[in-house]
């Protein structure tokens, strides 16, 4: 359990910079946290699909999907 807490803390620390940057761009704290969470969820989902080969089911490419997501995020900010 202690190892899990340590890993969760390190993960949270690694995402703090993105949240801080979004707040610097004008997003309120709650919105920046939501967008950071969504960005992480999207990235891990795309990685999972790419590394398991399941992305081929959809005829998509991981980098293109992630770029499209980032474009939408930037437009929202």
């Amino acid at each position: 359990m202690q190892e899990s807490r340590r890993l969760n803390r390190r993960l949270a620390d690694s995402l703090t910079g993105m949240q801080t940057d979004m707040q610097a761009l004008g997003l309120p704290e709650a919105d920046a946290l939501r967008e950071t969470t969504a960005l992480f969820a999207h990235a891990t989902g795309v990685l999972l699909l790419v590394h398991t080969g399941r992305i081929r089911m959809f005829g998509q490419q991981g980098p293109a999907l992630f770029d499209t997501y980032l474009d939408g995020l930037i437009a929202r900010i």
Side-chain angles (χ1 to χ4, degrees):
M1 187 67 155
Q2 188 140 340
E3 181 68 12
S4 179
R5 275 190 233 132
R6 186 180 70 78
L7 290 173
N8 284 343
R9 181 76 250 152
R10 290 184 68 191
L11 174 59
D13 289 346
S14 72
L15 298 172
T16 299
M18 285 187 280
Q19 182 179 343
T20 300
D21 290 345
M22 287 186 214
Q23 287 177 254
L25 291 171
L27 281 183
E29 184 177 354
D31 293 343
L33 176 58
R34 186 187 67 246
E35 292 294 355
T36 299
T37 305
L39 177 61
F40 178 70
H42 190 79
T44 56
V46 169
L47 283 171
L48 177 68
L49 288 173
V50 168
H51 286 285
T52 61
R54 297 280 192 269
I55 200 158
R56 290 189 302 268
M57 291 174 42
F58 305 101
Q60 300 293 314
Q61 299 294 317
L65 280 177
F66 198 69
D67 285 347
T68 300
Y69 178 82
L70 288 178
D71 290 343
L73 175 60
I74 291 166
R76 285 192 303 278
I77 293 176

